[in-house]
Amino acid sequence: MRDFNLNGKMIAGQYVAVDSPVHAMEPAAKLAGFGILLLAAAFSPRLPGIAFGVAITLWGMTLSKMPIKNAIRGLIAPLPFLIIIALLQVFIVSETDPNPLYKLWFLQVSLNGLKTGLLLMLRFTVLMLMLNWMSFSVSPSENIYGLQRLLKPLQRLGIQPMDFVMTIQIMVRFLPILAQSAERIAKAQASRGANWDGKSGGLIARVKRIVPLILPLFTASLRRAEKIAMAMNARAYGYHADRTSMAIYHFQNKDAMLLLAAMASAMMMILL
Amino acid sequence: MQPLILADRITCRIDQKEILKDVSFSIGMGEYVALIGANGSGKTTLARHLNALLTPIEGNVLIAGKNTRDRHNHSCIRADIGMVFQQPEDQIVSALVEEDVAFGPENLCRLPSEIRTLVDQALAGVLAMQPRAIIFDEATAMLDPAGRRDVMSYLAKLHNAGTTILTITHRMEEVLHAERVLVLNHGRLVFDGTPQALFADPSLVAANNLELPAAVEFKNAFPGWFSGIACSSSLAERLLAAIPAYSGTLDTGDFSETVVHSGGANLIEIDKLAFSYSQDSYFAVPALYDVNLSMAANAPHGLTGATGAGKSTLLQHLNGLYRPQQGSVRVGEFDLNSADLDLKALRRYIGLVFQNPELYFFKQYVGDEIAFGPRMLGLGEELRQRVRWAMELTGLDFENDKDRVLTTLSGGEQRKVALAAGLALNPGILVLDEPTAGLDPFSRRQLLQNLKRLIADGTQLLFSSHQMEEISALAKNLTVLSNGVTLTTAPVHEVFLDRPLMNQAGLEQPFSVQLADALRAKKWPVRRNTLTLTDVLSEIGKYKDEAAHA
């Protein structure tokens, strides 16, 4: 942790207002499109389908005028975990394979195992890229409005979608706050001689360094949460179930086109 | 006519501790009321009762006749009474400014087109709800002088438009803008009257840990000069205009200026420093463009500039939390640009105390919090002694205070603990970021006294502040930052007397300096390096009698 810039490392969850066809979509259609693509990426059964998913995501990011270099850089941090999970998958699947490619003591590697590992890695990559893309292109209030519209049928079952939607919005808003609090506590401790710098020490040493951060982070977050709740309360949140919205959206032909494109891509990801 | 706000014998207890005791008052439509009192006297709790965020244990609060106990009234009450919280970042609900401003009206189910117009007009999330009354909970505490001036003139504008205003503040000159003032002391309402009546009774002011505005203090020191002038929001200007001309003989020998001498090499040397957050990324935010600063030994150094000028970013470079991206930083023997910098040794040498440090306490007990630093340094036997020493330096009592739980301390005491925690490392240089922000007058005075003593005992101090009074009380030299660029580093009085520079940086001369300037304009022999009100008073006190017949 060379410069304590935790917020800067957290690219995910940052909406950027750009003038792009994706940004201009009707929120409910936009959310539905992203939802379908995410589901397809999660359940796509074969390598070509997933590879198609990567291509579609990268193309969609350029359509959203999103800087792809940054999105890909965001993948580097979780890469070690991905590799470990993929390796585990490779060994577990290969274990029962009757014709392994390679054998080392009790571990063996088979073509099938390699394929499964690769599939898993690509799947996570696509999912993360898509989530990044989505948070880049959907603003918090579009999120609320879109979800509200999509979840409207639930109201007939007596479930209030509004509370659920607000929970999600506050969660998104809380991520950078959490990073900020962690950054401040780490800085305060480092300033007083705690060892926060360098990558010295093994995994255990690094985990030990995080432990003193967790408790104060919890208390600081709870305090912030309470204050945000109070600020929302003070501004009359929650007194009418059907609150209005400043922006008015209309479902247009271009929304239908993009939604259809998303559906078609999702089909391809499943069928290929 | 029924009052807009009626508090009827309200009592509030939290964990058996009485926060408010039997408080009664009423506020009519269009009144401008200030609510003051020491840290922990119950101001914020009272404010939250008025917006139905809290309901009293005993007694009633009626807003336009509607009781806050009835949940069905809450929506109306919150549409009527808007609230601006102390920490701006705490009340922001949405990630985009526009969406945040729309949040309130959306909750009130206003029509979309109507909301759009409101959002375009509004300055803040609360105003978009068009409330009848607005409560400002220390809205100016975190602002620089220019921002504070904006808020004050905005309050006046709202007041003229008929909005009722209740402002909570620790700044006594803001109280003069109000028509009425409520004083809380340990949860009891001890005064309800005009600011003039309050400030006419210095013993009452002192008993409630408050202080007189500087202008009132000056007026009281020379009762003969300003007999016809009443305490009002324009008091300072009117006093300055009414200063009589000096008629005594001029003693030019006294005009010599003291030059600030440095006692050797500079302790800190910063040259052309530039820094961006998230450098090289899509979200890069430049904070510093071109910063130069040299701090001399044995000359307490201030750092000032408008909010967002880059003060905190700069201070966090000094102990290596941020490393220079461009330019160079040297602190004592340490070269911050060097790749093999010993960070631990650097942080032992330079102790940094953050802005609002009590928000980031991470231990439960006072003693543990203060001992954290020395323990990290591997202090064994000496640890206890070191903690005792640091606590005593800041006016805490080692035996009694070390086992107290941090959250039970008052705001002033918590700040003392934070300072002691920084001092416990026995640093060569002590760096404080906004040390008095959010403290009541009494705690602020105490902290300043402690710092003065530390300076006298040889502590090298560098601090940032946008409270000009604090800079004039502590610093010898001052660096002014504006939008990430250094405007100047010079002796404090030279900076303060340079009005165009102060304006450019969004700052304001403290009253004492304006006063000294006005006195000099009337030919009074006041030296140019006179900074604090006490100094001004003692300077002219010598000649007062000669002027009396002028």
Side-chain angles (χ1 to χ4, degrees), chain B residues 72 101 131 193 235 298 312 451 523:
Chain B
H72 296 106
V101 176
L235 176 68
N298 302 318
S312 298
L451 291 175
K523 304 278 186 255

Side-chain angles (χ1 to χ4, degrees), chain A residues 147-214:
Chain A
L147 274 174
Q148 218 174 350
R149 216 165 161 180
L150 290 175
L151 298 178
K152 208 149 199 178
L154 284 180
Q155 240 166 351
R156 281 197 214 133
L157 300 174
I159 298 168
Q160 280 300 338
M162 213 33 237
D163 294 334
F164 171 69
V165 171
M166 202 63 207
T167 316
I168 291 182
Q169 197 211 354
I170 292 295
M171 201 179 77
V172 171
R173 157 102 183 106
F174 230 76
L175 286 176
I177 289 185
L178 211 62
Q180 193 188 41
S181 299
E183 183 181 320
R184 287 195 199 164
I185 295 165
K187 276 179 176 173
Q189 293 187 351
S191 300
R192 280 156 62 193
N195 191 6
W196 265 106
D197 298 272
K199 301 229 178 308
S200 59
L203 189 65
I204 296 177
R206 278 206 239 166
V207 171
K208 267 190 176 164
R209 234 175 280 159
I210 309 261
V211 171
L213 189 70
I214 292 177

